């Protein structure tokens, strides 16, 4: 003890003593695994063709199936890994995920045909889950008054991985070849596995009997958790709904056809860049004023920013508005995890955060489908207006689900 009665460093709880190092490792591991999952975007059609698919339409179809396979299988098993993390330890799940991803990514480089590629992409999703596992560990091992900031830092690492992955995928294959790119990705993830194994420290687990009895029924008030599941889905839906229409929409705004793909890429990247920049800052703000306030404000601002996106007349206006929307959305993921951390017992935190991850994957799947359908049958501008209405309803629902008299 110190003179003023506070705990000396050696008396600090394990999660207080090691949470910063845990956070650094989790950010690195999440970044590398997300880079590995997305780096194949620029060259995936070329790899599909290399594996024996010749028809142009078939190449496009198989590319879509192969890319979506990982996220599909990851959505199915995310609650399972969260549950096992509650039972057997969060660090153990990160070790499993990083080693599994390192092996799966290396095996993708050895695929002999397109069926093996799809199967190995499914395997990568089943074995992976490092980013969602990191969210569980950081949320439960970080002091509660710093959890939103820490989760914001982690969210920046995750978004950076999604942003950098396609860039790496565009640079490496011409230099070392497509298959060697997968081997390099597997090697980097193996470094994340070593860092996880050697550097992460987890606080002592509660007795096995207490962990085994954990379930959704253990949550006294389920409204906050259910609200956060819906919010996570809305977040990804808002980001992804534009994906199927962005290039066509930009073509209407850009006078030079040669700039269409460049501007479309900027519009998609601008949202991720805004989120990377704002996530730690909004997380720190949430630690001060409460994540519920930040979530409601972020959803409201996002809804307001979607309306002018339907009315823009120049391409640069769309890019600027997508960047501002990214700034607003950057606080959602850390705040969602923070609310869950504060609203559910620790013994079920991993399970509920796993469901939260699955709900976000649902948004990633439903968003493009909904955006493509509305854009094709109603009009592209209706995609932005419809998404704005959903985000406004989400803001209202979040405000209603907020527990009375609670800052969080």
């Amino acid at each position: 003890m110190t003179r003023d009665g506070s705990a000396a460093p050696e008396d600090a709880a394990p999660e207080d003593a090691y949470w910063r190092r845990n956070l650094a490792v989790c950010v690195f591991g999440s970044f590398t695994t997300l880079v590995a999952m997305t780096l194949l975007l620029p060259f995936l059609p070329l790899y599909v063709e290399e594996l024996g698919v010749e028809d142009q339409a078939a190449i496009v179809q198989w590319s879509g199936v192969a890319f979506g396979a990982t996220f599909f299988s990851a959505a199915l098993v995310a609650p399972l890994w969260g549950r096992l993390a509650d039972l057997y330890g969060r660090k153990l799940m990160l070790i499993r995920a990083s080693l599994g991803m390192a092996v799966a990514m290396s095996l993708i480089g050895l695929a002999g045909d397109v069926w093996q590629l799809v199967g190995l992409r499914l395997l990568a999703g089943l074995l992976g889950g490092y980013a969602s596992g990191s969210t569980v560990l950081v949320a439960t091992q970080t002091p509660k008054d710093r959890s939103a900031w820490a989760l914001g830092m982690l969210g920046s690492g995750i978004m950076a991985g999604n942003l950098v992955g396609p860039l790496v995928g565009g640079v490496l294959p011409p230099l070392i070849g497509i298959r060697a790119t997968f081997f390099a990705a597997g090697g980097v993830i193996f470094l994340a596995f070593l860092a996880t194994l050697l550097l992460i420290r987890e606080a002592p687990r509660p007795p096995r009997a207490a962990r085994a009895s954990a379930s959704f029924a253990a949550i006294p008030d389920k409204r906050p958790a259910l609200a956060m599941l819906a919010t996570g889905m809305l977040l990804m839906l808002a980001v992804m709904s534009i994906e199927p229409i962005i290039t066509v929409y930009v073509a209407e705004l850009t006078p030079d056809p040669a700039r269409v793909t460049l501007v479309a890429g900027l519009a998609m990247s601008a949202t991720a860049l805004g989120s990377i920049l704002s996530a730690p800052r909004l997380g720190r703000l949430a630690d001060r004023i409460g994540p519920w306030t930040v979530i409601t404000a972020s959803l409201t601002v996002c809804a307001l920013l979607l309306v002018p996106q339907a009315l823009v007349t120049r391409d640069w206006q769309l890019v600027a508005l997508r960047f501002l929307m990214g700034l607003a959305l950057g606080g959602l993921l850390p705040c969602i995890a923070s609310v869950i951390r504060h609203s559910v017992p620790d013994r079920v935190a991993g399970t509920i955060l796993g469901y939260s991850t699955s709900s976000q994957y649902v948004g990633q799947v439903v968003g493009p489908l909904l955006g493509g359908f509305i854009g094709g049958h109603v009009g592209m501008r209706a995609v932005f207006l419809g998404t704005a209405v959903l985000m406004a309803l989400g803001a209202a629902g979040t405000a209603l689900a907020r527990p009375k008299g609670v800052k969080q």
Side-chain angles (χ1 to χ4, degrees):
M1 301 292 287
T2 59
R3 290 181 179 179
D4 60 0
S6 60
E10 60 270 21
D11 297 326
E15 60 267 31
D16 291 334
Y18 300 107
W19 69 269
R20 292 181 184 275
R21 189 170 71 185
N22 290 350
L23 175 62
V25 175
C26 287
V27 169
F28 172 72
S30 298
F31 173 79
T32 55
T33 54
L34 265 298
V35 167
M37 289 178 69
T38 58
L39 61 77
L40 81 169
L41 267 175
F43 62 84
L44 181 56
L46 300 177
Y47 195 37
V48 169
E49 186 176 13
E50 183 180 312
L51 293 175
V53 180
E54 298 179 355
D55 181 70
Q56 191 66 31
I59 290 174
V60 174
Q61 291 173 3
W62 278 110
S63 297
V65 170
F67 183 72
T70 296
F71 300 98
F72 173 74
S73 57
L76 293 179
V77 298
L80 171 64
W81 295 140
R83 175 64 173 150
L84 292 177
D86 287 334
L87 289 174
Y88 301 108
R90 286 75 191 248
K91 176 180 177 178
L92 182 61
M93 290 300 104
L94 293 182
I95 292 172
R96 173 205 56 75
S98 53
L99 183 59
M101 278 290 291
V103 172
M105 289 303 300
S106 300
L107 289 176
I108 290 174
L110 299 174
D113 58 47
V114 71
W115 287 99
Q116 292 180 11
L117 173 62
V118 173
L120 289 169
R121 289 283 295 175
L122 284 169
L123 181 66
L126 291 173
L127 297 179
Y130 193 98
S132 57
S134 292
T135 302
V136 176
L137 186 134
V138 170
T140 56
Q141 300 291 302
T142 302
K144 288 190 175 183
D145 61 346
R146 303 298 303 277
S147 61
W149 172 82
L151 289 164
M153 293 296 295
L154 180 62
S156 291
I158 292 172
M159 293 300 296
N162 283 309
L163 186 63
V164 171
L167 300 178
V168 173
V171 172
L172 276 187
L175 299 176
I176 64 176
I178 291 177
R179 294 182 184 272
T181 298
F182 288 112
F183 299 150
V188 173
I189 297 175
F190 187 75
L191 294 179
F193 158 72
L194 293 177
T196 302
L197 178 66
L198 300 175
L199 298 178
I200 283 185
R201 295 285 296 272
E202 185 176 4
R205 309 288 298 142
R208 176 68 186 277
R211 287 181 270 145
S213 63
S215 67
F216 202 85
I219 305 173
D221 183 359
K222 298 176 178 58
R223 287 181 306 162
L226 293 174
M228 292 305 101
L229 298 185
T231 301
M233 184 179 68
L234 278 177
L235 164 63
M236 300 313 301
L237 190 150
V239 173
M240 301 299 293
S241 62
I242 190 180
E243 297 287 325
I245 66 165
I246 182 63
T247 303
V248 181
Y249 190 52
V250 167
E252 293 184 355
L253 305 172
T254 304
D256 182 6
R259 297 178 61 244
V260 169
T261 55
L262 172 62
V263 176
L266 289 175
M268 287 186 279
S269 300
T271 306
L273 178 60
S275 295
I276 292 169
L277 296 176
S278 69
R281 293 168 176 81
L282 289 177
R284 187 178 294 111
L285 177 65
D287 284 329
R288 292 206 312 268
I289 66 175
W292 283 98
T293 303
V294 174
I295 290 172
T296 304
S298 293
L299 291 172
T300 302
V301 172
C302 179
L304 294 174
L305 288 171
L306 280 162
V307 175
Q309 289 178 52
L311 307 175
V312 294
T313 57
R314 301 292 298 274
D315 53 14
W316 64 266
Q317 296 171 347
L318 178 64
V319 174
L321 287 168
R322 295 299 290 182
F323 175 75
L324 292 175
M325 196 175 90
L327 291 176
L329 294 176
L332 284 181
L333 284 180
C335 288
I336 288 169
S338 180
V339 167
I340 292 174
R341 164 80 193 276
H342 288 80
S343 302
V344 306
D346 281 351
R347 66 182 185 275
V348 296
T351 302
I352 304 306
L353 287 168
Y355 282 118
S356 176
T357 300
S358 289
S359 71
Q360 292 161 31
Y361 282 129
V362 169
Q364 284 183 296
V365 174
V366 173
L369 292 176
L370 192 60
F373 179 83
I374 294 176
H377 291 81
V378 182
M380 287 178 287
R381 298 182 187 273
V383 175
F384 297 99
L385 297 176
T387 307
V389 171
L390 288 177
M391 299 301 279
L393 292 174
T398 301
L400 292 174
R402 177 175 178 168
K404 301 296 183 183
V406 177
K407 171 189 169 183
Q408 59 166 301

